[in-house]
Amino acid sequence: MFKRNYRKLILTVLAALLLITVVACEKDEEGMVAIVDGEGISNDELEKKFNLVGIRENTELQFGEGALEQEIEDGITLERKLKEELLEQLVVVKIIANNANKDIEITEEMLKEQKLEYIENIGGQENFTEFLEERGLTEEELEDYMIEDLLVKEHQKNLMDKMEVSEEEAREYFEENKDDIIIIRLEHILLKEKAEAESVLKRINEGEDFAKLAKSESIHTNSAENGGDIGYITRNSPLIEEYKDIGFELDINEISDVVESELGYSIIRLVDRKEDFEFFEEDIITNIKMESLSKKIEEMKEKADYKLMPENIVIGDKEVESEKEKE
């Protein structure tokens, strides 16, 4: 379970990187873990980012104390893997910011708004000050990170604003990815024993209200409080396969027979289905633009002058043995 879930943790903590970016260091490679356009990222800087985005806290919260020292591959600890992933993301952010810096100006007003938004999100000035102290940061250092964050976001916005996606292109995308795009909304009643589930199903078929029975009979307490509502899901949602297999085959308001799964015995009702192009059109256009943006970022990365030196990453008293350099 630990090894399977570490990738999800990586994706979660790295999603915060749009707020935490890179500050230029000396050009000397000694003590550097990467060089981007002649500017270095030091091991100290990487460690600061590692703590700043809360990777250590999130890891221990999800996997328990000492999780960073556990091996996820032969000889590779979770801390090492996370820091290498983080380093690669910081390099990409730096490359984007360097491209953005050519034609985007970050004003004092933009920085002020960003800072106020951050203070509000963190719970006020007192929490903000405490946060900086815990991470060993000054407000000036955080402002430097925010400036680069703004450069990245403005550059990405400018690129996406210039992209045009026709209705024909969007419809084609929808048809090609329809099975993954369509969403359904399910309700369920979960019981421990098959006989119990069959009894409840009989009561539903005799006219009793599904939602009321979910509240009174279902052992799945979270959904039971909402009348058994699971919410909208796709075929790729992290839900047990039996629910998805049955749910996508039902008609609106149709109720399944008793379904056996690892959870127990369930009765499932399809409440809604969204499968029309018009409902998804705006999101599809955004997805197409995001895919194009990803390609543009890869092109920037290919053209950039950078070097990764993960062998300089310090893990406790040990240095990372692996070496990844741009070919």
Side-chain angles (χ1 to χ4, degrees), residues 225-248:
E225 294 176 358
N226 298 311
D229 185 29
I230 295 174
Y232 284 100
I233 65 166
T234 69
R235 290 188 185 274
N236 297 319
S237 295
L239 192 69
I240 59 175
E241 292 302 317
E242 290 86 353
Y243 274 50
K244 292 187 285 187
D245 290 343
I246 296 295
F248 277 94

Side-chain angles (χ1 to χ4, degrees), residues 267-301:
I267 304 160
I268 302 169
R269 177 167 71 172
L270 178 65
V271 180
D272 192 18
R273 183 195 306 271
K274 303 293 186 186
E275 56 184 349
D276 297 325
F277 165 75
E278 289 74 17
F279 180 82
F280 298 101
E281 183 175 5
E282 186 175 334
D283 288 336
I284 288 171
I285 290 173
T286 299
N287 285 344
I288 293 173
K289 288 185 175 183
M290 288 299 295
E291 289 179 5
S292 296
L293 178 62
S294 294
K295 291 178 182 178
K296 289 184 179 295
I297 291 173
E298 283 301 312
E299 291 172 1
M300 291 180 202
K301 190 176 176 182

Side-chain angles (χ1 to χ4, degrees), residues 92-310:
V92 171
V93 167
K94 184 64 178 176
I95 290 169
I96 297 171
N98 286 350
N99 276 269
N101 204 26
K102 299 172 184 176
D103 51 15
I104 295 175
E105 179 183 358
I106 302 303
T107 66
E108 288 293 330
E109 186 62 29
M110 292 169 67
L111 179 59
K112 181 179 178 181
E113 289 179 7
Q114 178 89 340
K115 187 174 179 180
L116 288 174
E117 180 181 344
Y118 189 79
I119 292 173
E120 181 179 349
N121 289 338
I122 209 169
Q125 183 63 48
E126 185 176 343
N127 288 344
F128 177 69
T129 302
E130 183 178 340
F131 172 84
L132 293 177
E133 290 176 354
E134 289 177 350
R135 265 64 177 184
L137 285 171
T138 65
E139 286 198 33
E140 290 74 16
E141 286 176 319
L142 189 60
E143 286 177 0
D144 287 338
Y145 305 151
M146 288 180 175
I147 289 172
E148 203 151 33
D149 169 54
L150 285 167
L151 282 170
V152 171
K153 290 195 293 187
E154 288 296 312
H155 191 47
Q156 291 179 332
K157 181 178 181 298
N158 287 350
L159 288 174
M160 290 185 68
D161 286 345
K162 294 175 183 177
M163 298 175 187
E164 294 184 1
V165 179
S166 67
E167 181 179 333
E168 180 181 0
E169 185 180 357
R171 283 186 179 276
E172 182 179 349
Y173 183 96
F174 176 70
E175 291 300 327
E176 290 177 354
N177 299 277
K178 195 172 184 178
D179 287 344
D180 296 328
I181 293 174
I182 291 173
I183 58 175
I184 60 173
R185 186 170 186 172
L186 299 177
E187 293 174 346
H188 77 136
I189 301 173
L190 177 64
L191 290 306
K192 286 185 178 180
E193 303 295 335
K194 184 177 182 180
E196 293 177 313
E198 289 175 340
S199 175
V200 170
L201 179 59
K202 182 179 178 182
R203 292 167 65 183
I204 293 170
N205 290 334
E206 290 175 350
E208 291 195 47
D209 184 74
F210 189 101
K212 288 182 179 179
L213 283 171
K215 288 183 179 181
S216 64
E217 306 296 334
S218 181
I219 61 173
H220 193 268
T221 54
N222 289 341
S223 64
E225 294 176 358
N226 298 311
D229 185 29
I230 295 174
Y232 284 100
I233 65 166
T234 69
R235 290 188 185 274
N236 297 319
S237 295
L239 192 69
I240 59 175
E241 292 302 317
E242 290 86 353
Y243 274 50
K244 292 187 285 187
D245 290 343
I246 296 295
F248 277 94
E249 294 300 319
L250 295 174
D251 294 325
I252 301 295
N253 292 322
E254 184 180 1
I255 296 170
S256 73
D257 292 328
V258 173
V259 178
E260 183 179 1
S261 73
E262 61 188 62
L263 297 179
Y265 296 88
S266 304
I267 304 160
I268 302 169
R269 177 167 71 172
L270 178 65
V271 180
D272 192 18
R273 183 195 306 271
K274 303 293 186 186
E275 56 184 349
D276 297 325
F277 165 75
E278 289 74 17
F279 180 82
F280 298 101
E281 183 175 5
E282 186 175 334
D283 288 336
I284 288 171
I285 290 173
T286 299
N287 285 344
I288 293 173
K289 288 185 175 183
M290 288 299 295
E291 289 179 5
S292 296
L293 178 62
S294 294
K295 291 178 182 178
K296 289 184 179 295
I297 291 173
E298 283 301 312
E299 291 172 1
M300 291 180 202
K301 190 176 176 182
E302 289 175 5
K303 294 177 181 178
D305 178 16
Y306 73 95
K307 180 180 181 181
L308 288 168
M309 297 174 287

Side-chain angles (χ1 to χ4, degrees), residues 49-80:
K49 300 298 184 303
F50 188 79
N51 293 326
L52 190 55
V53 297
I55 296 178
R56 195 175 302 279
E57 293 88 341
N58 280 308
T59 304
E60 293 183 351
L61 181 63
Q62 184 168 347
F63 297 119
E65 188 175 351
L68 287 171
E69 287 73 43
Q70 294 190 41
E71 290 190 4
I72 56 172
E73 300 171 20
D74 292 341
I76 299 178
T77 64
L78 181 58
E79 179 178 357
R80 175 188 296 189

